Amino acid sequence: MSYPIVQQRPLDPSQKRGWLGLRGRARESGELPKPAAHQVLVYRVNGHYVVDNAERALNSEDVVEASHVSVVDMTRNAEVMVQLGIPSKDADQFTMQVTFVCTVSNPAVVVREGMTDAQAMLRAYLKSHNRIFELGLAHKLDDVNEVRRNVNAQVKAFATVKPPVMPGIDIEVRSVEVLTPAGLAEFERKRTQQQRQHRLVAEQQGFDQARELDQDEHTQLRSTKQQRHDLSREAERKDFDRYQRREDRLELNELSEAIRNDPQRVLLLAWEQGLLGPVEMAERMSAEARRVEDNAREDRAAELEHKRAMERAQLEQSTEDRRWRRDIEQQQLLWRREDESFRREDVRQQRQIKLEVIRELGKHGYLDMTNLDPNRLVDELTTKDDAPQVGPADETPALPSAADVDLEDDEDDEDTGVREEDAG
């Protein structure tokens, strides 16, 4: 099955449904492919690409107007294996197998760019690095372990310097292997078979020698020594293989650590492997230095901008605090003025009431029965006031009311009437 685009299908213009086409246009279920749980549909609608997670109805506008539909595999870390032949010294070839893991990040871009076969594109990516095909020219098929070490380092360094890029797909190199050549495998199989036969023959010989010990004791002893020698050589070979695998792991770990922690080390490694020339190496090193400097400049600019933003926020907060205190002071002053106005109004009303009482007493002649001087009382009531209060500077004193004037006139008349009676 192809990856990442599993299936593509053109769509005919949708037809109206129902009698005389009154029910509007819609797709039939058989027109569209059935995606699996890990797949999505991508429609091409008027030159645009719309992703459908199996949620759009058959009569939705995008489905009705679509002219093409594709099924895209969204499997996370899908493995894509690429095999390439590497020429050897003895007119045969090693088989390199590189395993990539791919994850579709943007299915619409995958369909738009026509990423129908990731394996073919990754094979072309590996073929673009000619150095890989020169690694086996100096080695025979027996040197497969040496070729494995060189190919592994070369491919990983190449993928670091020039990572594989496919629009809409995230790609990572998972493993690099050099398969055992078929001829070598057959040779090893035959050699193992011969060794087994030799061992059987030796065992048979040992049996014969044991049976004929009395006849040829010297021959039996020599055969025993030969067997011990063979076993010793086999043990040494196994120890050497274990040592070689351990050295390979250490070298790969050192390479991975260098690549992960030091970009300049990656460039130096690529230059040592012949991936970069001196001019390109210098350009890459200069570009890396500029990148580090740009990152430092951006960090300083971001820190300065943050500091300025904090200062602006503090200034705005201080201004807001001053405005709030000024509003509170103005409100408190307004309240004091209103309190003073209410107090004066209360004093005026009390004075008015007292004047009305004296006026009524004067009309009924009760003032003649006491020693009170009405004119003095009126003067005290009209001039008496509390201590000065805080208030607005432009507030004007209250004018005498009409009742005050009438009371004074009435008191004068009453005084005059008493004097006339006394005269009579």
Side-chain angles (χ1 to χ4, degrees), residues 118-393:
Q119 187 181 55
M121 294 182 180
L122 292 174
R123 181 179 292 108
Y125 161 76
L126 292 176
K127 286 183 176 180
S128 65
H129 184 43
N130 296 327
R131 173 63 178 164
I132 297 176
F133 302 95
E134 301 174 359
L135 299 176
L137 296 178
H139 301 280
K140 296 181 179 181
L141 294 180
D142 296 339
D143 301 331
V144 63
N145 291 331
E146 182 68 19
V147 175
R148 284 170 178 163
R149 182 166 52 252
N150 295 338
V151 169
N152 196 326
Q154 189 70 211
V155 171
K156 290 189 175 180
F158 176 64
T160 301
V161 177
K162 185 180 178 182
V165 177
M166 293 178 63
I169 304 176
D170 297 331
I171 306 173
E172 179 183 353
V173 177
R174 172 63 58 84
S175 64
V176 181
E177 302 174 85
V178 176
L179 305 180
T180 302
L184 181 60
E186 181 65 17
F187 173 77
E188 290 292 338
R189 187 186 64 80
K190 290 182 178 179
R191 186 173 65 176
T192 303
Q193 185 177 5
Q194 290 177 358
Q195 290 177 352
R196 185 181 300 111
Q197 292 176 355
H198 291 165
R199 187 165 54 252
L200 292 175
V201 171
E203 292 175 355
Q204 184 65 36
Q205 289 177 355
F207 177 76
D208 294 338
Q209 290 172 359
R211 189 179 58 182
E212 299 175 357
L213 180 60
D214 295 337
Q215 299 177 1
D216 194 359
E217 183 177 357
H218 178 70
T219 304
Q220 182 183 13
L221 180 60
R222 187 176 60 181
S223 177
T224 303
K225 290 182 178 180
Q226 182 64 34
Q227 290 178 5
R228 292 179 178 178
H229 178 70
D230 293 339
L231 293 175
S232 177
R233 292 191 55 144
E234 182 68 16
E236 291 177 355
R237 187 184 64 81
K238 291 182 178 179
D239 291 339
F240 177 78
D241 290 342
R242 286 194 294 269
Y243 170 79
Q244 190 66 40
R245 288 194 296 270
R246 185 169 60 253
E247 290 295 320
D248 292 344
R249 287 196 299 271
L250 291 176
E251 184 175 354
L252 290 177
N253 291 337
E254 292 176 357
L255 176 63
S256 301
E257 188 69 21
I259 291 175
R260 182 169 59 251
N261 297 333
D262 190 0
Q264 293 185 354
R265 174 61 179 166
V266 175
L267 295 176
L268 291 174
L269 180 61
W271 178 70
E272 292 175 357
Q273 297 293 335
L275 298 176
L276 298 176
V279 177
E280 187 177 2
M281 176 67 180
E283 293 176 353
R284 292 290 185 89
M285 295 290 286
S286 299
E288 178 63 22
R290 289 194 299 270
R291 185 186 66 81
V292 173
E293 183 178 356
D294 293 341
N295 291 341
R297 187 185 304 108
E298 291 176 359
D299 292 341
R300 291 194 299 271
E303 182 179 359
L304 179 59
E305 181 62 24
H306 176 71
K307 181 178 179 181
R308 291 177 177 174
M310 294 295 295
E311 292 176 354
R312 288 195 298 270
Q314 292 176 357
L315 180 59
E316 293 175 358
Q317 183 63 35
S318 176
T319 304
E320 183 65 23
D321 292 342
R322 290 197 299 272
R323 185 184 298 109
W324 179 79
R325 288 195 297 270
R326 184 170 62 254
D327 294 342
I328 292 297
E329 292 173 357
Q330 292 178 355
Q331 186 65 36
Q332 291 176 348
L333 178 60
L334 179 61
W335 290 342
R336 289 197 296 270
R337 290 180 177 177
E338 291 178 354
D339 292 340
E340 179 64 18
S341 176
F342 291 153
R343 188 194 66 78
R344 290 180 179 275
E345 181 62 21
D346 291 340
V347 171
R348 190 190 66 77
Q349 290 180 0
Q350 292 176 4
R351 187 167 59 242
Q352 183 70 21
I353 292 172
K354 291 179 181 180
L355 290 175
E356 291 292 338
V357 171
I358 295 174
R359 179 180 175 184
E360 292 297 325
L361 292 176
K363 286 182 179 181
H364 295 84
Y366 292 110
L367 296 177
D368 297 337
M369 301 171 59
T370 64
N371 295 326
L372 297 175
D373 186 358
N375 292 326
R376 185 175 59 82
L377 289 175
V378 170
D379 291 340
E380 289 179 357
L381 291 174
T382 56
T383 58
K384 184 178 178 181
D385 200 353
D386 294 337
Q389 301 294 328
V390 178

Side-chain angles (χ1 to χ4, degrees), residues 43 56 58 90 138 183 261 282 311 328 379 409:
Y43 297 102
R56 300 180 184 272
L58 295 176
D90 46 6
N261 297 333
E311 292 176 354
I328 292 297
D379 291 340
D409 294 341

Side-chain angles (χ1 to χ4, degrees), residues 3-4 38-40 72-77 103-107:
Y3 176 88
H38 62 282
Q39 298 172 348
V40 298
V72 180
D73 189 348
M74 300 296 293
T75 302
R76 186 173 184 83
N77 292 333
T103 301
V104 174
S105 59
N106 193 329

